[in-house]
Amino acid sequence: KEGFFEYEGVLFEVIDLPGIYGLSASTIEEKIARNYIIEEKPDLIINIVDGTTLERSLYLTSQLIDSHSRMILVINMYDEVKDKGISIDTQKLEKLLKFPVVPIIAKREKGIDDLLKILLNSTNQRREERIHINYGEDIENSISAIECKLNCHPEITGEYFGRWLAIELLSESDIKKILENKKDYCDILEEVNKQTKMLKEIYQEDLKEIFNDMRLGFINGLIKECVSVQTGLSKIDITDFIDRIVLNKYLSFPIFGIILWLTFQITFDLGGILSGFIEKMINLLSDFIVLRMSESMLKDLLLQGVIAGVGGVLVFLPQIMLLFLIIAFLEDSGYMARIAFIMDKIMHFLGLHGKSFISMFMGIGCNVPGIMAARVLESEDDRKITALINPFMSCSARLPIYILLCGIFFPENGGTIIFLVYITGILVSIITAKFLKTFFFKKESLPFVMELPPYRLPTLKSIGIHMWERASQFLKKMGGVILFGSIIIWALGYYPLSSHKESDRTKQLENSYIGKLGKLSEPIFRPLGFKWKETVALITGVVGKEIVVSTLSVLYNAKEDDNETLKIKMKEAGIDKSIALAFMIFVLLYVPCIATIAAIFKETNSVKWTLFSLFYGIFVAYIFAFLFKNIGFWLIKLG
């Protein structure tokens, strides 16, 4: 992400790179960050580290020192540093590193003014004095020898800092590929091979590990010089205390299940109350048009197209915002990482990692960022599997459909039914992952250490920003794809022209273009109990799942907030509780929206796997919807 801000008359452009712990380029995030820093050569790097885990966080700092980057070291979470009895001599650390060191508490905006003043001074002063990490006489001699060869090629040293490139070449990183395909640089490669062979004979160890050890030694030296820990503190570690409960092998899954159930119960019940205010506004607007406008095509478009379509989705905005609010709280509090840890054993059974479940859980908000989150996985196979199973996680766009149908058919237990639907999506994801890993992606996954950040109480500002970022995307859809789709659906239901009396409205819809389309495809879905209106809704839902609600509202010619009227009309069409449940399951599992299909193609870079995702989803949706319809009478008691 990038943005701009002005301070003391100076305009700054800020580039926010992915959060990483190193520049080894073992993940896509590390490669993106490294390439930007090395190739774009930013004026200044603001290197933000966690003060409570300084030893680990400074590893990236050591690599940035090698890259010859101008830098400010920002030590964040300084309140937690003090709470843990850790004392950091920032002035001494600054003298040793030869660049500014600033302690801050970001969530409380403490220390930000100091950071801005130093940032301003850094732009006005060009400090040439830089620190170099000493790798020992033998390695330093090899670095100098390679640098000497590099200096004979100004086109290379003009693009890359010579010392950094020499270190990378000796570390046998992927940077070596830059030179391997160019004949003009044979002398450099010969020198690199010569120095590498010599150093391996001396150390009898992989050079990459040698550099890592040297950097860790440098960091340990800094820690000993500048950091002290007060012992004998009686303060309880709240993170450890909570983890003993939520990560307990007997309690972890029940607690996670309860949190998930509460999420949907709050979303359905509390969100339903808040939706009442929007319903009243939509009713007032609808009544105003009915009273003020004479019968015309424009009046029908506004009432049956725009208001019934867009209003049919807008009414569910409170529920969607509540869902995003809860997800933001779980992320910022640190519990999201625990969910990955809890699911780690199950994911290992599937041949994946717990980190894959973070991508899946993010899909509950929206499948697109959920799929993109798979990039954090080191294995390409794991990334592909995670991207392919993510569409089975029920996104927020499907939520209005569940709320609408649960409000009609399961008013007493709507939250429980929605919970059941979401759990079904998780189970199908797990089954699919096992299937893909067994038959198509048989490589063993790379091991990794699960990171569990400390628990923190999220600020209202933080979770508010996260909620609004996601809710605003939903609102943009309202004025874009949903509005456009609703008008198209209305037009297909309005034409060809015939009688437009209210009593003939149903007949008109059946004989319209959209009615003919629905009746043409209805036989395919007849075993599931879906009528032509539900069939049309599924077809239009490929554009965006919110349009399913718009389509049903338009086709049934009923206000979305008048559940009783809509219930009567759907019952007259032969829809019952088991069919409604089957419809929700089908919506959950069948073809994802166009944006998600594009994300799958982008992440897998494969037409084959994108098509597999589409057809496999339809197949699974049909099977599960058929099963739920035919065992639905067992679940009717829930209603």
Side-chain angles (χ1 to χ4, degrees), residues 489 514-515 517-519 521 531-541 551 555:
I489 294 163
I514 203 165
L517 174 65
K519 293 202 170 182
S521 52
K531 307 303 178 183
W532 68 269
K533 293 178 182 178
E534 286 71 37
T535 302
V536 170
L538 291 172
I539 294 170
T540 58
T551 305
L555 295 183

Side-chain angles (χ1 to χ4, degrees), residues 271-542:
I273 296 170
L274 297 174
S275 291
F277 297 105
I278 297 178
E279 290 172 8
K280 289 178 182 177
M281 297 300 294
I282 293 173
N283 285 337
L284 287 173
L285 179 60
S286 182
D287 292 342
F288 176 81
I289 292 173
V290 170
L291 293 173
R292 298 288 180 175
M293 292 185 69
S294 57
E295 294 297 326
S296 63
M297 184 182 74
L298 178 60
K299 180 180 180 180
D300 199 84
L301 169 62
L302 291 175
L303 287 174
Q304 306 301 332
V306 177
I307 294 177
V310 176
V313 181
L314 183 63
V315 75
F316 300 109
L317 179 62
Q319 284 99 332
I320 289 171
M321 291 187 73
L322 270 173
L323 178 63
F324 285 147
L325 184 71
I326 295 170
I327 291 175
F329 181 86
L330 294 176
E331 286 177 344
D332 290 1
S333 67
Y335 184 70
M336 186 72 79
R338 270 71 186 178
I339 294 173
F341 186 84
I342 291 165
M343 295 297 295
D344 192 48
K345 286 185 179 179
I346 293 177
M347 301 310 287
H348 270 296
F349 170 72
L350 305 176
L352 299 173
H353 292 302
K355 199 180 281 188
S356 293
F357 195 78
I358 293 180
S359 166
M360 293 166 63
F361 199 82
M362 285 181 69
I364 291 176
C366 177
N367 291 146
V368 174
I371 291 169
M372 292 171 66
R375 294 175 185 177
V376 302
L377 300 169
E378 295 183 8
S379 164
E380 183 180 352
D381 284 357
D382 289 357
R383 288 197 293 268
K384 285 183 178 179
I385 293 173
T386 306
L388 290 169
I389 65 177
N390 200 284
F392 297 125
M393 301 299 291
S394 190
C395 65
S396 61
R398 297 174 174 104
L399 186 59
I401 305 165
Y402 309 151
I403 294 171
L404 174 70
L405 294 177
C406 285
I408 294 172
F409 294 99
F410 306 96
E412 300 298 325
N413 299 90
T416 302
I417 292 293
I418 294 174
F419 173 73
L420 173 68
V421 172
Y422 274 78
I423 290 297
T424 301
I426 294 172
L427 291 175
V428 172
S429 298
I430 289 172
I431 293 168
T432 302
K434 187 64 177 176
F435 167 71
L436 291 172
K437 193 69 177 178
T438 303
F439 294 102
F440 299 102
F441 301 97
K442 298 180 180 180
K443 287 183 183 178
E444 190 174 345
S445 297
L446 298 171
F448 81 102
V449 177
M450 186 79 69
E451 180 190 352
L452 295 178
Y455 288 102
R456 296 182 179 93
L457 185 64
T459 62
L460 288 175
K461 180 180 178 181
S462 174
I463 59 176
I465 289 172
H466 290 160
M467 178 190 70
W468 178 247
E469 281 180 348
R470 292 159 178 170
S472 61
Q473 292 175 2
F474 175 77
L475 289 173
K476 285 176 185 176
K477 275 188 180 181
M478 303 293 303
V481 65
I482 296 173
L483 176 61
F484 180 75
S486 297
I487 292 172
I488 294 297
I489 294 163
W490 168 83
L492 291 173
Y494 191 82
Y495 293 102
L497 291 169
S498 62
S499 172
H500 291 281
K501 292 180 181 179
E502 185 65 28
S503 58
D504 297 327
R505 181 67 179 172
T506 304
K507 190 72 175 175
Q508 159 64 21
L509 285 169
E510 287 189 36
N511 294 326
S512 67
Y513 295 126
I514 203 165
K516 291 175 182 177
L517 174 65
K519 293 202 170 182
L520 185 66
S521 52
E522 183 182 14
I524 299 171
F525 296 96
R526 193 171 290 147
L528 306 181
F530 305 162
K531 307 303 178 183
W532 68 269
K533 293 178 182 178
E534 286 71 37
T535 302
V536 170
L538 291 172
I539 294 170
T540 58
V542 175

Side-chain angles (χ1 to χ4, degrees), residues 7 64 82 88 166 192 245 254 275 348 366 403 528 544 559 633:
Y7 180 73
L64 290 173
K82 292 179 179 178
I88 303 173
V192 170
I245 300 170
S275 291
H348 270 296
C366 177
I403 294 171
L528 306 181
K559 294 179 181 178
F633 62 91

Side-chain angles (χ1 to χ4, degrees), residues 28-40:
I28 294 175
E29 284 81 5
E30 289 181 354
K31 189 172 288 187
I32 289 169
R34 185 199 66 184
N35 291 350
Y36 186 89
I37 291 168
I38 300 303
E39 295 171 7
E40 300 297 328

